[in-house]
Amino acid sequence: MSRNAAQWAQRPKFPPTHYVDTRVYTSEELFREEIDKIFNKVWIIACHESEIPNPYDYRTFRHPGGENLIIIRGDDNRIRAFYNICPHRGNVILYDPSGNAKRMTCIFHAWSFDCRGNCIDISRGKEGYQDRLDLKDVGLREVRCEVGYGGFVWVNVDDNACTLKEYIGDALSMLEPHMQEPLEVFHFHKAVVNTNYKLWHDTNSEFYHDYMHYFNRITGMLQPGYFDRKYVGYPNGHASVGSMEIKYDKYEGSKDRKVGWPGLAPGGWILIDIFPGMTYNLRTSVLRMDTAIPLGPNKVIIEFRGLGLKRDTPEMRAERIFDHNMIWGPFGRNLHEDLLGVHGQGIAMRDERTDSRWVLHGREENMTIHDEGGMRHYYAEWSRRMGRPAYDPFGDRGVAGKVAAA
């Protein structure tokens, strides 16, 4: 039956771990706190090593915490990350999103830096500073940077954070055997969506929304073994979903996949969510990586990468590109539907007339594919890091009890 205003505002009759207050998606105050307590503390994927294959190749990256970074391969082949800020007067050093720069020179006053972050030239330095300023004292601000887990370049702006290996733990253990060969990005695009970054990650954390995808229903949900896949939660908010075989032949007009993936069964599918907003999605012949970069509580950039094997022949690469674009490209079978789903959530939650208060994570199916345990696990970690329960973040909803683990 329908509900009146008072009934609509009542909290759900679930344990508090099984729903969240919608203000975790819309509050400016909480978003600013997330930047400080989450994004500026964790490891984030900036790019892939194949995007900067040669010495002095670089990419710029807008960190979710707001920092503008330079990711550059050095003359020693090591990849480093620096703030894209000139220490002289705070100007941006590199404006192009990618390129090759043996010398990184600030356009403002022509101060120059090398690929290791050293200041190598100050225009008219002797005349202006005499002996009062040394080049070694005005190098770039370096950011912790590691390459791993499929050749991705990870950054962490917290000098005191744990190592990348400690942060990931065993979360990628199911996927690591399939990422032993060098990979290469063949597809990159980004979408700017008027929604909260967590809503996109929620979509990658549950498969109950396969009802939205005709392609997934036909090739997966209606096939044997679909409901056997299980979520596994790991420390730091990461989670994985077990593999299954996708029956592509059940979709009219689909063809057999001619190219597979090392160690993966034909039609195999493995998905790993990395807190707070990254997803490895290995499906048959393509690895897709999503990285969410929040711009505010109601706006997010989502970067999408499609990867194949570096050793691919032109014919193999063409097949991977076809497979990727048919499912996950901007005009593929699935991606636009996912984006539409989270866009709709963003619209509804920002509309004060709806007075939307709760999002349910209450499905329990023994942690199988339509269980919402992946989201419960995620928000347990969010609550731990924020020091606020996701079900009552401001302590004004009269919800008793402590934050519980998923």
Side-chain angles (χ1 to χ4, degrees), residues 229 242-248 261 264-270 281-286 328:
R229 298 176 78 184
S243 183
M244 73 165 291
E245 181 182 350
I246 303 301
K247 303 291 186 180
Y248 289 102
W261 193 273
L264 190 68
W269 185 6
I270 299 173
N281 202 337
L282 177 60
R283 182 164 170 165
T284 305
S285 65
V286 174
W328 288 323

Side-chain angles (χ1 to χ4, degrees), residues 178-226:
H178 309 293
M179 298 190 298
Q180 298 304 305
E181 293 192 42
L183 307 182
E184 187 172 63
V185 172
F186 61 73
H187 172 93
F188 173 85
H189 80 278
K190 60 177 66 177
V192 179
V193 189
N194 293 324
T195 196
N196 185 270
Y197 76 91
K198 294 186 293 297
L199 291 171
W200 178 257
H201 202 65
D202 288 354
T203 300
N204 283 333
S205 298
E206 55 89 3
F207 281 73
Y208 187 40
H209 77 279
D210 269 348
Y211 284 101
M212 182 169 65
H213 298 304
Y214 174 76
F215 187 85
N216 280 14
R217 294 201 308 271
I218 297 299
T219 63
M221 193 166 74
L222 300 181
Q223 307 308 320
Y226 174 87

Side-chain angles (χ1 to χ4, degrees), residues 47-50 52 71-74 76-81 142 145-147 151 153:
C47 65
H48 189 265
E49 62 179 353
S50 67
I52 45 175
I71 315 298
I72 187 166
R73 186 182 290 272
D76 57 355
N77 211 40
R78 177 181 164 191
I79 296 175
R80 297 175 176 85
E142 188 166 1
C145 180
E146 295 189 33
V147 179
V153 180

Side-chain angles (χ1 to χ4, degrees), residues 301-354:
I301 295 173
I302 307 169
E303 293 188 344
F304 300 96
R305 287 174 169 85
L307 297 96
L309 303 180
K310 192 172 182 178
R311 64 171 171 82
D312 281 345
T313 64
E315 293 76 18
M316 294 169 68
R317 181 58 54 84
E319 183 67 25
R320 291 193 204 281
I321 292 172
F322 177 87
D323 290 351
H324 173 275
N325 290 345
M326 193 189 81
I327 304 171
W328 288 323
F331 303 101
R333 300 287 188 263
N334 281 15
L335 184 59
H336 62 291
E337 296 169 338
D338 284 329
L339 291 171
L340 181 61
V342 297
H343 177 70
Q345 288 179 293
I347 292 173
M349 291 184 191
R350 289 196 308 274
D351 189 343
E352 295 181 357
R353 294 170 298 177
T354 66

Side-chain angles (χ1 to χ4, degrees), residues 371-397:
D371 195 305
E372 291 171 332
M375 289 185 289
R376 293 193 294 272
H377 181 69
Y378 180 94
Y379 286 97
E381 178 67 11
W382 185 94
S383 300
R384 184 185 73 82
R385 288 181 176 271
M386 292 287 285
R388 300 170 180 260
Y391 54 80
D392 190 16
F394 294 102
D396 59 357
R397 292 276 164 93

